[in-house]
């Protein structure tokens, strides 16, 4: 989701995105067909044409909506991530804190990269991060990233409290196509751009509530 720190969970990441577009309320989209207990929803991976500037690598990533936070016994690592999506750019300024040691890392990311073979990340010192944070305005998104191999599970807070997403990255398109959705998966969101990091950073609670209702999920 705009994060490249899922090494502990096979680097679950968010698909690259084009420059920010005006937010469209979830309620404006056609609702998903209603589900009943005797007709459970089975998520299906539907390949899609890349967005402008999106690399083919994005086809090797899948994103899911979970009904709840994974059991603590399944978690192998945890990080607290704060991303600032810099206004008017494709840049993301990130702070990542390991919850077991308190160690922090910082980086500036451009998604998509300028060229497919160009590096997307620039590692920063704490001082460089602080200077850029003061100079570059934009909305922020904070979440806890749980390593639940082979997934990275994001547990959100603030206005997005109650939202739990899982992401997985694959070595080949074939691996992506044959991947079995995780237990507790409500729906696949790989092609739903309202659940990408830059859009979630601009989503208020009422829009989130409406969006989750389309998938049969109610916020607490």
């Amino acid at each position: 989701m705009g994060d490249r720190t899922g090494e502990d969970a096979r680097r679950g990441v968010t698909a690259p995105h084009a420059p920010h577009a005006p937010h469209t309320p979830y309620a404006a989209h056609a609702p998903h067909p209603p589900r009943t207990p005797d007709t459970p929803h089975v998520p299906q991976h539907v390949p899609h044409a890349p967005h402008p500037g999106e690399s083919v690598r994005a086809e090797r990533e899948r994103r899911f909506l979970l009904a709840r936070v994974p059991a603590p016994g399944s978690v192998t690592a945890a990080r607290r991530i704060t991303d600032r999506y810099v206004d008017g750019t494709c840049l993301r300024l990130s702070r990542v804190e390991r919850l077991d040691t308190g160690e922090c890392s910082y980086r500036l990311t451009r998604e998509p990269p300028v060229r497919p073979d160009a590096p997307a990340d620039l590692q920063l010192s704490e001082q460089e991060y602080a200077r850029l944070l003061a100079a570059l305005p934009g909305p922020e998104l904070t979440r806890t990233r749980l390593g639940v191999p082979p997934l990275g599970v994001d547990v959100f807070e603030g206005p997005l409290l109650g939202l739990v997403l899982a992401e997985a990255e694959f070595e080949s398109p074939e691996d992506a196509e044959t991947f079995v959705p995780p237990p507790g998966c409500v729906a696949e969101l790989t092609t739903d751009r309202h659940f990408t990091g830059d859009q979630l950073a601009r989503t208020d609670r009422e829009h989130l509530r409406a969006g989750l209702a389309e998938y049969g999920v109610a916020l607490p």
Side-chain angles (χ1 to χ4, degrees):
M1 137 144 350
D3 143 43
R4 294 179 176 274
T5 57
E7 312 91 54
D8 51 293
R10 296 188 58 187
R11 300 183 66 237
V13 298
T14 300
H17 53 276
H20 304 140
H23 178 70
T24 301
Y26 292 109
H29 293 266
H32 294 258
R35 300 190 300 276
T36 61
D38 56 334
T39 58
H41 176 64
V42 179
Q44 298 292 330
H45 178 51
V46 180
H48 64 286
H51 297 276
E54 189 176 35
S55 68
V56 176
R57 185 176 180 82
E59 290 295 319
R60 300 182 185 179
E61 300 160 357
R62 294 177 66 179
R63 184 169 59 250
F64 304 93
L65 173 65
L66 299 187
R68 62 187 61 84
V69 178
S74 65
V75 177
T76 61
R79 295 175 170 86
R80 191 170 190 269
I81 302 168
T82 300
D83 291 323
R84 175 172 292 183
Y85 292 85
V86 180
D87 287 340
T89 75
C90 295
L91 300 177
R92 186 181 72 247
L93 186 62
S94 303
R95 178 185 186 274
V96 181
E97 178 185 1
R98 287 187 52 167
L99 296 186
D100 56 345
T101 65
E103 177 185 359
C104 293
S105 61
Y106 311 90
R107 67 177 177 274
L108 184 65
T109 303
R110 188 188 193 281
E111 291 186 343
V114 176
R115 302 185 313 276
D117 60 340
D121 288 341
L122 175 64
Q123 300 299 315
L124 304 172
S125 68
E126 183 176 2
Q127 293 75 22
E128 290 169 332
Y129 170 80
R131 285 175 177 263
L132 291 175
L133 190 67
L136 300 176
E140 290 190 348
L141 182 66
T142 298
R143 64 199 186 278
T144 299
R145 165 61 63 92
L146 305 177
V148 186
L151 301 169
V153 176
D154 288 328
V155 181
F156 293 84
E157 52 190 76
L160 305 183
L161 182 67
L163 176 63
V164 184
L165 300 181
E167 297 176 346
E169 181 178 308
F170 306 93
E171 294 298 326
S172 70
E174 292 76 18
D175 289 343
E177 291 294 332
T178 58
F179 179 72
V180 178
C185 175
V186 175
E188 178 157 9
L189 304 178
T190 302
T191 59
D192 190 336
R193 302 212 26 105
H194 291 95
F195 288 90
T196 58
D198 61 329
Q199 290 298 317
L200 287 173
R202 294 168 169 80
T203 297
D204 61 31
R205 192 157 185 81
E206 289 311 305
H207 284 144
L208 177 65
R209 189 183 304 278
L212 291 179
E214 294 184 6
Y215 292 101
V217 174
L219 286 177

